[in-house]
Amino acid sequence: MSLLHHGVPRGAFAELSCFRAEFYACLAGRRDALFELGDALLCSDGPVKTLVELSLEVEHRRGHGALYGALNRGSVDVTRLRRALAGLPLPRTVQGRLVLAVDVSNWLRPDANTSPQRLFCHTYGRGRNSAQMVPGWPYSFVAALESGRTSWTAVLDVLRLRPWDDAIAVTAGQVREVFQRLYVAGQWQIGDPPVLIVVDAGYDVTRLAFLLADLPVELLGRMRSDRVLFFPPPPQPGGKRGRKPRHGAGFVFEDPSTHPVPSRTTVSDTTRYGQALATAWNRLHPLLTRRSAWAGHLAQLPVIEGTVIRLQVDHLRGDRNPKPIWLWWSATGASAADVDRLWQAFLRRFDLEHTFRMLKQTLGWTTPKLREPAAADRWTWLVITAHTQLRLARPLVEDLRRPWERPARQGRLTPARVRRGFRRLHGKTPQPASAPKLTTAGPGRPPGMKNKHRARQRAVGKQNSPDLARDKTG
């Protein structure tokens, strides 16, 4: 009996089946164990609490030793897997524009003193002003955003930031490679709208715009409320001699007296935030200095102009008097439609936070206590592949809700509910992994013998330390 008789869309099932086969082809070393580990992750009932419990799932036909051996000694063809992710159907806006979000999520490892290449990661506590720095592995994600209210994103790439990396330069290179893969896959063609890249306040959006100026992309990022930007200088009067100034009047975000008449003003009614007032000022640029990220820039410091958008809403959840949000767009001459499109696209960036919560709390991304960064990278790609299969299975699974849960509308299943029904779909999908071979357990360490090969202590986040220098070269 065909799949159509069961109410399963043939095209969506074929897309999922092809991706599973391609994912298996991307696994080079210990591919069967890695593939079954990913299936156990998809079909497990409930959140992943410990990694070894996945070996007890029916889909994982090997022992727990094979599970850890696959993560520690296996290999994944990441280049091919990235191309496969770029070739999948991606969400777009009504205008057919691709919107990509870039953000960092931390895998905290405060007690892993023997794990190399850790950094001090900025984390937030439960109380106000309770931010702290915790050692861990920061991972940079790039995902395609959907246009409506949803908790789904299409993760396209992930990259672990190392202690010696320039975070902005590495992010720019990551975005450049993602765009090149999208172009090769036919996701973007000449004549299409520029790809919109959305980042949060932790990124230097102006430097990103400078590094990606040769690509057909637009940068949109939030700026802190204490920033000061500058307008272009006024034209010099005739006959005046001397060097022309590079900066005009200052624009202080917190000082309304420095704000001239905006170039655009829009008012919109929203269901969650009340009335949204967006005002835009054209051709504003920051004052760059030869320090920090621009210390090695030998040429004259550039003037990076863009559009500043101030977004003020009536209320947020738990806040009746919210502060305005300041955005910077890498293009100039924004129309009223552009202003509304941009601030709405920025609000969609928070959908990536739902993806991080799904990866950590349900799929157990940061659950394993792995020592080596390479093993953490393999597990990260397995989790991303599992999330991608859930996204492809959205129209294929039924809503297996609990008695106390509300029924989900058609096409509005959350990632957790899709995972709940994936096991029923799993048996119909391709199973390329071969059956395990019968083996006997090794002798292990003799009783009474101590471990003579102690792991070396590793420094945290110190770029010039000898340990990190050896890690980088070796």
Side-chain angles (χ1 to χ4, degrees):
M1 185 178 296
S2 67
L3 293 172
L4 292 179
H5 292 170
H6 293 281
V8 179
R10 189 186 299 272
F13 184 81
E15 196 73 44
L16 175 61
S17 301
C18 292
F19 179 75
R20 285 175 59 84
E22 181 65 18
F23 169 57
Y24 183 76
C26 294
L27 302 177
R30 312 219 177 177
R31 55 167 53 182
D32 294 332
L34 286 174
F35 189 84
E36 289 189 355
L37 176 58
D39 281 353
L41 179 63
L42 283 167
C43 300
S44 176
D45 187 16
V48 177
K49 298 298 183 182
T50 59
L51 186 62
V52 71
E53 287 183 354
L54 294 177
S55 64
L56 304 179
E57 299 293 333
V58 178
E59 292 73 18
H60 193 276
R61 298 175 293 178
R62 290 158 172 82
H64 65 277
L67 183 149
Y68 284 103
L71 289 179
N72 292 324
R73 300 299 180 185
S75 61
V76 182
D77 189 350
V78 177
T79 303
R80 183 172 180 176
L81 183 55
R82 283 168 170 161
R83 289 199 301 264
L85 293 174
L88 295 176
L90 298 180
R92 299 173 183 268
T93 62
V94 179
Q95 299 81 14
R97 185 190 303 268
L98 282 172
V99 180
L100 305 182
V102 183
D103 203 357
V104 171
S105 186
N106 301 318
W107 184 339
L108 301 182
R109 301 288 280 128
D111 300 327
N113 297 326
T114 59
S115 294
Q117 301 181 12
R118 291 183 301 162
L119 278 168
F120 284 107
C121 305
H122 186 270
T123 59
Y124 291 96
R126 293 184 178 272
R128 187 182 295 272
N129 298 328
S130 59
Q132 54 184 336
M133 306 300 289
V134 180
W137 292 315
Y139 281 84
S140 175
F141 287 80
V142 179
L145 302 179
E146 298 188 2
S147 56
R149 289 176 56 183
T150 178
S151 56
W152 289 96
T153 61
V155 181
L156 297 175
D157 190 35
V158 65
L159 186 67
R160 179 172 48 84
L161 300 178
R162 300 166 298 180
W164 54 84
D165 286 337
D166 182 351
I168 299 299
V170 170
T171 302
Q174 183 184 19
V175 173
R176 182 180 298 275
E177 293 178 358
V178 168
F179 177 81
Q180 291 174 352
R181 290 193 293 269
L182 293 176
Y183 179 75
V184 172
Q187 301 283 6
W188 187 91
Q189 300 177 0
I190 298 176
D192 291 347
V195 178
L196 181 62
I197 312 296
V198 186
V199 298
D200 205 3
Y203 290 87
D204 188 349
V205 61
T206 56
R207 186 169 178 234
L208 273 177
F210 174 77
L211 296 176
L212 300 174
D214 58 325
L215 294 181
V217 298
E218 299 174 352
L219 274 295
L220 176 66
R222 185 173 65 168
M223 285 188 166
R224 301 190 312 268
S225 59
D226 59 350
R227 293 292 299 270
V228 179
L229 301 186
F230 295 89
F231 285 100
Q236 285 185 310
K240 184 177 180 180
R241 307 176 66 179
R243 187 178 64 177
K244 181 181 178 180
R246 306 184 68 202
H247 312 287
F251 185 92
V252 185
F253 286 1
E254 295 179 333
D255 187 3
S257 62
T258 61
H259 303 171
V261 178
S263 57
R264 292 288 185 271
T265 301
T266 63
V267 180
S268 305
D269 293 326
T270 64
T271 57
R272 300 188 63 185
Y273 312 109
Q275 191 178 74
L277 174 63
T279 52
W281 290 269
N282 194 27
R283 299 188 64 188
L284 280 163
H285 64 271
L287 176 62
L288 305 180
T289 57
R290 293 190 183 277
R291 61 181 181 182
S292 186
W294 298 96
H297 190 80
L298 302 179
Q300 186 180 20
L301 293 176
V303 175
I304 308 172
E305 292 186 344
T307 302
V308 170
I309 301 174
R310 180 183 184 271
L311 176 63
Q312 180 69 61
V313 297
D314 287 342
H315 56 81
L316 294 174
R317 180 177 297 180
D319 191 356
R320 291 294 177 181
N321 188 22
K323 296 181 179 179
I325 297 177
W326 293 92
L327 306 176
W328 188 87
W329 183 41
S330 61
T332 57
S335 62
D338 289 333
V339 173
D340 287 337
R341 172 179 63 87
L342 291 170
W343 70 259
Q344 292 173 9
F346 178 78
L347 294 183
R348 293 270 61 82
R349 189 209 69 83
F350 292 96
D351 296 340
L352 192 55
E353 303 295 337
H354 295 287
T355 300
F356 292 156
R357 189 178 296 112
M358 175 67 185
L359 299 184
K360 291 182 177 181
Q361 297 182 3
T362 303
L363 298 181
W365 170 42
T366 57
T367 296
K369 306 300 181 183
L370 302 174
R371 176 186 295 176
E372 297 298 327
D377 295 343
R378 295 186 195 101
W379 173 247
T380 300
W381 280 110
L382 283 181
V383 172
I384 290 177
T385 305
H387 184 269
T388 302
Q389 294 184 56
L390 294 178
R391 180 171 63 88
L392 296 176
R394 288 169 67 182
L396 304 176
V397 300
E398 55 183 329
D399 186 13
L400 302 179
R401 65 184 182 90
R402 309 299 189 200
W404 55 86
E405 294 176 341
R406 295 180 180 179
R409 292 179 295 173
Q410 183 66 25
R412 299 290 295 178
L413 289 180
T414 62
R417 288 201 183 186
V418 172
R419 179 173 178 259
R420 192 181 298 169
F422 190 86
R423 172 167 281 177
R424 295 189 177 184
L425 179 67
H426 175 262
K428 304 181 181 68
T429 59
Q431 309 294 328
S434 59
K437 299 178 181 179
L438 296 178
T439 58
T440 57
R445 184 185 301 165
M449 179 176 290
K450 297 182 179 180
N451 182 15
K452 299 180 180 180
H453 303 281
R454 286 190 170 273
R456 184 160 52 93
Q457 299 289 321
R458 305 286 184 167
V460 181
K462 296 181 180 179
Q463 185 172 356
N464 297 325
S465 66
D467 289 341
L468 291 179
R470 284 192 293 267
D471 293 341
K472 180 178 179 180
T473 57

